[in-house]
Amino acid sequence: MRHFGTFAWLWTLLLMALSACSDDDHFSSSAQYLLSFSTDTVKIDTVFSRVPSATKTFWVYNRSGEGIRCTSVRLAQGNQTGFRVNVDGSYLGAAQGYQVPNIEIRDKDSIRVFVELTSPVNNLDDPQMLTDDLVFSLESGVEQKVALTAWTWDAVMVNDWHITADTTLSIQKPVVVYGGITVEENATLSIEQGTTLYFHENAGLNVYGRLLVNGTADNNVVLRGDRIDHMFDYLPYDRVSGQWQGLHFYESSYENVVNFADIHSAYNGVACDSADVSRLKLQLANSVVHNCQGYGVSATHSVVDIVNCQITNTLNDCVAFLGGVGRVLQCTLAQFYPFDANRGAALRFGNVRDGKVYPLYDFSCVNSIVTGYADDVVMGEADTTANYKFAFRNCLLRTPAIDDTVNVKDVVWEDPKDTVSCGYKQFVNIDTDNLIYDFRIKASSPAVGKADAAQAPEFDRLGIRRGEEPDMGCYVHVPDDGETAKE
């Protein structure tokens, strides 16, 4: 009896298992049973024509209570739009007519779908909307759809472009750069207002000759990385540092002028090699250098003039002068780099590195804001037996006060204990969660009205006229509704 009871128990379990398998393998053709989706629209970020997009995914769920079989999953427009789809490991390719047959989704099961896009050329200047539908044809005859959308933008593609003769670049379409742009000796590259260069990861602008960037206050020249998609939903790649290699001015390069440029998310924003200090290496004016994984601006034994610029958030120093001749006039240098606590100084100047002396013939910082997270963001390294000439005038400096009435005059020493009006509190918006920064100053900033009017440029970086009592930094404080504007 005991053996019979055991056999009966096992037989019951087997019947239950077979019944369960039978239920799982049952697929209904009734129209009442439908699929559900994790999204009704797959939105791909703006992409350049002929450049593959990042991959988007979504889930297809069967919560109907019965198994559902799709006779096909297909792209409504076939291969006309450039979308590429993989359904649960099966690719919708040309051999299958851009469809996958016989997709089965058991009750309470799901499958994953992967979507990419390589857009065809639009032959238009402006971004264009591209749409398609991914159609799930059920065995019941019902069709369910997930919309696929993207903005696509035709771009001019260049690869290892060598400028050997004077060249002017003025184009409204984006220019995507692979391999880099090299301006050879005795050649000049002029980049006109409104031009945007999108550099691939290992690409940069290498100047052995001369570079002229001719932006305007209303129409900057933009130099940035080529990733125009998102790392996360809230975070575009454009806000991530180290996306491209930046500008490099080599020893043979002189008389460069960069005016009204937006240079951001590079490795080193601007690097200037050692050169003849009787000649101007670079004038950087009315520009932004922001969010660099290396230096913002570094200059070694060269003549560099920085006027009306915002240079902010770098892993190494925002601005670093090693020897030579340098001027920082009416600038905002702010070190709030968010990706690494071991960030550099906002401003570093000196005449010695690794035991080698680079004479600092003349360095001045005037009408500028130099601040950051650390209590001391101004660094100087000196060999006093060599040339080491520096001056600070009418600046806001976040560094311990020094007793030097010869080299330092009319300086406001920022108090690190002041958490109301100093440090990041003086700027309009320092949003480290979303990596959004606005370095215009508030009315409470100790930099308001403290610049030397005799040395202040007439207009700020945004083209706003400075008054008789100008503010320090590259931006004029613009009063809110409840404030009284300065005359």
Side-chain angles (χ1 to χ4, degrees):
M1 292 295 292
R2 180 180 300 173
H3 294 294
F4 179 79
T6 302
F7 177 78
W9 177 71
L10 290 173
W11 180 250
T12 301
L13 287 177
L14 179 61
L15 287 175
M16 291 173 64
L18 290 173
S19 175
C21 291
S22 176
D23 288 343
D24 285 345
D25 289 337
H26 182 261
F27 293 90
S28 174
S29 59
S30 171
Q32 67 177 312
Y33 299 110
L34 299 174
L35 299 171
S36 55
F37 305 93
S38 60
T39 183
D40 60 2
T41 304
V42 175
K43 297 179 180 179
I44 292 179
D45 298 312
T46 301
V47 296
F48 297 121
S49 302
R50 299 175 291 168
V51 177
S53 73
T55 302
K56 295 284 190 177
T57 70
F58 68 94
W59 290 92
V60 182
Y61 303 104
N62 182 1
R63 297 163 174 160
S64 68
E66 291 283 347
I68 295 176
R69 182 181 289 113
C70 299
T71 56
S72 70
V73 180
R74 60 184 173 85
L75 284 166
Q77 299 184 57
N79 67 340
Q80 299 304 300
T81 55
F83 285 103
R84 299 186 303 281
V85 179
N86 184 300
V87 179
D88 199 31
S90 298
Y91 177 62
L92 278 66
Q96 295 82 27
Y98 300 96
Q99 63 178 335
V100 173
N102 301 320
I103 296 294
E104 297 179 347
I105 310 175
R106 290 173 170 80
D107 181 36
K108 299 181 179 62
D109 203 354
S110 63
I111 62 173
R112 196 174 187 183
V113 178
F114 300 83
V115 181
E116 297 176 346
L117 170 67
T118 301
S119 165
V121 174
N122 301 310
N123 295 314
L124 296 169
D125 288 341
D126 298 324
Q128 303 296 310
M129 174 67 82
L130 187 67
T131 63
D132 205 340
D133 288 316
L134 189 61
V135 182
F136 293 77
S137 297
L138 310 188
E139 201 169 42
S140 64
V142 173
E143 287 192 344
Q144 294 183 263
K145 299 179 181 179
V146 173
L148 310 179
T149 68
W151 285 95
T152 73
W153 200 2
D154 282 359
V156 177
M157 305 289 181
V158 299
N159 193 357
D160 287 323
W161 188 17
H162 286 256
I163 307 296
T164 58
D166 292 355
T167 301
T168 298
L169 187 58
S170 178
I171 187 169
Q172 295 307 306
K173 286 185 178 181
V175 179
V176 180
V177 181
Y178 293 90
I181 298 174
T182 300
V183 184
E184 302 289 3
E185 286 191 58
N186 302 315
T188 298
L189 173 62
S190 299
I191 306 176
E192 299 305 307
Q193 61 176 317
T195 302
T196 300
L197 300 182
Y198 295 83
F199 291 86
H200 197 57
E201 179 181 4
N202 294 318
L205 182 49
N206 301 302
V207 185
Y208 295 87
R210 189 183 184 203
L211 176 67
L212 301 177
V213 174
N214 302 314
T216 66
D218 297 326
N219 211 3
N220 282 199
V221 169
V222 179
L223 307 176
R224 51 158 292 174
D226 70 338
R227 293 295 298 266
I228 54 178
D229 54 330
H230 283 64
M231 176 178 282
F232 306 111
D233 288 343
Y234 73 94
L235 181 60
Y237 271 101
D238 193 38
R239 297 181 199 161
V240 178
S241 62
Q243 293 294 302
W244 61 291
Q245 295 303 303
L247 279 66
H248 192 161
F249 297 95
Y250 288 83
E251 180 181 355
S252 57
S253 178
Y254 295 96
E255 307 299 331
N256 299 284
V257 178
V258 176
N259 194 23
F260 286 109
D262 178 354
I263 303 166
H264 63 271
S265 299
Y267 185 74
N268 289 318
V270 177
C272 297
D273 286 354
S274 181
D276 182 352
V277 293
S278 69
R279 302 176 62 184
L280 176 68
K281 186 79 169 181
L282 170 66
Q283 182 182 70
L284 180 66
N286 305 302
S287 296
V288 168
V289 181
H290 176 68
N291 193 30
C292 298
Q293 200 173 18
Y295 290 93
V297 176
S298 66
T300 301
H301 197 261
S302 52
V303 181
V304 175
D305 192 30
I306 307 175
V307 181
N308 241 5
C309 290
Q310 171 198 317
I311 306 174
T312 47
N313 292 18
T314 62
L315 177 57
N316 290 325
D317 306 322
C318 293
V319 173
F321 284 95
L322 178 61
V325 178
R327 181 177 70 150
V328 175
L329 172 62
Q330 206 77 52
C331 291
T332 299
L333 313 183
Q335 179 56 294
F336 300 108
Y337 186 73
F339 302 110
D340 194 326
N342 191 29
R343 58 187 74 87
L347 173 62
R348 187 183 300 273
F349 61 98
N351 67 354
V352 62
R353 178 189 291 167
D354 299 328
K356 184 177 179 180
V357 173
Y358 300 80
L360 186 67
Y361 296 106
D362 192 8
F363 170 75
S364 64
C365 184
V366 179
N367 286 0
S368 295
I369 298 172
V370 187
T371 188
Y373 281 131
D375 291 350
D376 187 358
V377 296
V378 183
M379 301 294 173
E381 292 88 17
D383 181 337
T384 56
T385 65
N387 291 78
Y388 187 67
K389 181 182 179 181
F390 70 93
F392 288 89
R393 302 286 186 267
N394 296 85
C395 290
L396 172 67
L397 302 180
R398 190 177 182 91
T399 190
I402 61 174
D403 185 13
D404 184 345
T405 58
V406 175
N407 299 306
V408 180
K409 294 182 179 180
D410 298 315
V411 162
V412 177
W413 305 101
E414 189 173 277
D415 182 1
K417 296 179 181 179
D418 182 352
T419 59
V420 176
S421 61
C422 287
Y424 70 91
K425 290 289 188 178
Q426 66 187 301
F427 298 111
V428 168
N429 189 19
I430 304 295
D431 181 354
T432 55
D433 290 333
N434 296 293
L435 304 181
I436 297 172
Y437 299 87
D438 185 341
F439 286 99
R440 293 175 298 163
I441 56 175
K442 298 177 181 177
S444 58
S445 170
V448 171
K450 299 294 179 58
D452 180 1
Q455 300 191 66
E458 183 179 2
F459 297 95
D460 80 347
R461 203 202 83 77
L462 299 176
I464 301 173
R465 188 183 298 275
R466 290 189 168 93
E468 294 180 359
E469 297 180 6
D471 308 324
M472 297 173 180
C474 65
Y475 299 112
V476 169
H477 164 250
V478 177
D480 296 329
D481 292 340
E483 299 174 10
T484 301
K486 300 191 303 296
E487 295 298 323

